[in-house]
Amino acid sequence: MSVFNAYMTLSGAVDATLTRDEPLSRRTSYRIGGPAALLARVRDYAALVRTIEVLTREGVRWVVLGKGTNVLADDAGYDGCVIVLEGEFSRINVSEEDRSITAGAGAALARVVNEALRARLSGLEPCVGIPGTLGGALSMNAGTRREWIGRRVRDLVVYRPGEGMHRYAADEIEWGYRSTTLPTSEIILEATLSLMPAEKDAIAADMDARLRRRRQSQPLSLPSCGSVFRNPPERSVGQLIESCGLAGTSEGGAQISDVHANFIVNRGGATSADVLALITRAHDAVMDRYGIDLSPEVKFLGFGG
């Protein structure tokens, strides 16, 4: 594997900003993580394709990262290339006549939601207050247990490394709670979301109510990755962990939140090892008491994988 060769080949040859040894603590909402061997902020499709071609030839593993809002990065870093989609991947186009929004995977989800509100288009209210990019939201089917962004997708464009672009129609993708049938080997580039006309005041009131509930029920003032585990059917992970007496439990600089026990927060100086220890403790406690095998919602970057 030659990160250096990849860096030298791509530097100045593609529309991208390349950085070596970029701290992942700057790229994740947890503010945790060692250096990525290479960071490539690509601004157009040609740059993305060429970057992956070179990385593949040089045997450098890679991963696409949005805002890093549901990611725990290893303290040891990542020995591959982290790809961030910018430039043309951040465009947002609204069609009020067509009642749709087409946006790039690198667009901030908050911007997409705000554009829908501005255009008096309803359907993205369940996504209000969720951080990250549209691509990240689609890959994890963001939303609530019963309302998610996948239900709004009209079509979706991906890049299949080594093959090219492919467009999915809505009925070619299955969406579920925190799940999608999109292959993890494909990179989401763009999506068109079908929305519904509504009164702007009604949309805004719904969004405001949802934001108030989030502020009251989640520890938003401290760095975290959001929910750590997926909720099992008809159960609340936060309540399960709290019933095991773990709310407020600390490990180093990490703590199981006493506001919502399915959040592990960074109270200052937390390491990935601290967070992993609490994830394991919560998982094992719930398994021992309830026989429920909790499934992580957080994605792990590095850790030898």
Side-chain angles (χ1 to χ4, degrees), residues 14-291:
V14 294
D15 190 8
T17 300
L18 303 172
T19 310
R20 298 184 67 191
D21 299 321
E22 172 80 1
L24 289 169
S25 57
R26 297 178 183 171
R27 296 281 166 181
T28 62
S29 60
Y30 249 137
R31 301 295 179 256
I32 292 173
L38 185 62
L39 176 78
R41 295 160 52 196
V42 301
R43 288 183 283 274
D44 61 30
Y45 177 71
L48 173 64
V49 172
R50 180 59 177 156
T51 297
I52 291 178
E53 286 176 349
V54 171
L55 294 172
T56 301
R57 186 187 69 206
E58 294 295 332
V60 179
R61 60 181 181 155
W62 54 270
V63 65
V64 176
L65 184 69
K67 300 292 186 182
T69 54
N70 67 325
V71 173
L72 177 64
D74 192 350
D75 299 321
Y78 178 66
D79 64 1
C81 179
V82 171
I83 299 173
V84 178
L85 304 179
E86 299 183 346
E88 70 175 27
F89 300 110
S90 299
R91 294 175 181 168
I92 300 174
N93 293 306
V94 179
S95 174
E96 295 186 39
E97 290 184 5
D98 194 40
R99 301 173 181 177
S100 69
I101 291 180
T102 299
L109 182 60
R111 284 185 57 219
V112 179
V113 171
N114 286 337
E115 288 296 331
L117 172 62
R118 186 174 292 112
R120 298 177 174 83
L121 294 173
S122 175
L124 293 182
E125 292 88 336
C127 295
V128 69
I130 297 177
T133 60
L134 176 63
L138 291 166
S139 68
M140 66 178 293
N141 197 18
T144 69
R145 192 197 295 258
R146 295 177 179 83
E147 301 173 292
W148 49 68
I149 194 169
R151 288 179 172 162
R152 304 266 64 90
V153 173
R154 177 184 299 178
D155 59 62
L156 188 144
V157 179
V158 302
Y159 170 59
R160 293 174 171 172
E163 298 181 29
M165 284 193 289
H166 175 77
R167 184 180 298 274
Y168 286 99
D171 59 5
E172 295 180 276
I173 307 170
E174 293 180 17
W175 306 88
Y177 170 60
R178 295 294 185 271
S179 68
T180 171
T181 56
L182 286 170
T184 56
S185 60
E186 300 179 351
I187 301 172
I188 298 171
L189 302 180
E190 179 184 277
T192 297
L193 309 174
S194 291
L195 304 173
M196 302 157 289
E199 292 296 325
K200 187 174 183 179
D201 288 347
I203 299 172
D206 188 353
M207 289 183 177
D208 287 344
R210 292 173 187 267
L211 285 172
R212 281 196 300 273
R213 289 195 294 270
R214 282 174 58 84
R215 295 190 189 103
Q216 293 167 359
S217 63
Q218 297 177 6
L220 302 181
S221 63
L222 292 170
S224 78
C225 70
S227 297
V228 173
F229 298 103
R230 294 181 178 90
N231 286 311
E234 306 307 320
R235 302 297 293 269
S236 163
V237 172
Q239 292 175 3
L240 292 172
I241 296 173
E242 186 172 349
S243 71
C244 294
L246 293 180
T249 300
S250 295
E251 181 75 32
Q255 181 185 54
I256 295 177
S257 173
D258 52 10
V259 176
H260 192 312
N262 195 24
F263 283 64
I264 296 176
V265 297
N266 181 354
R267 296 191 62 84
T271 66
S272 64
D274 295 336
V275 176
L276 278 176
L278 291 178
I279 290 174
T280 301
R281 187 167 178 182
H283 173 275
D284 292 351
V286 172
M287 174 63 83
D288 290 345
R289 181 163 184 174
Y290 297 101

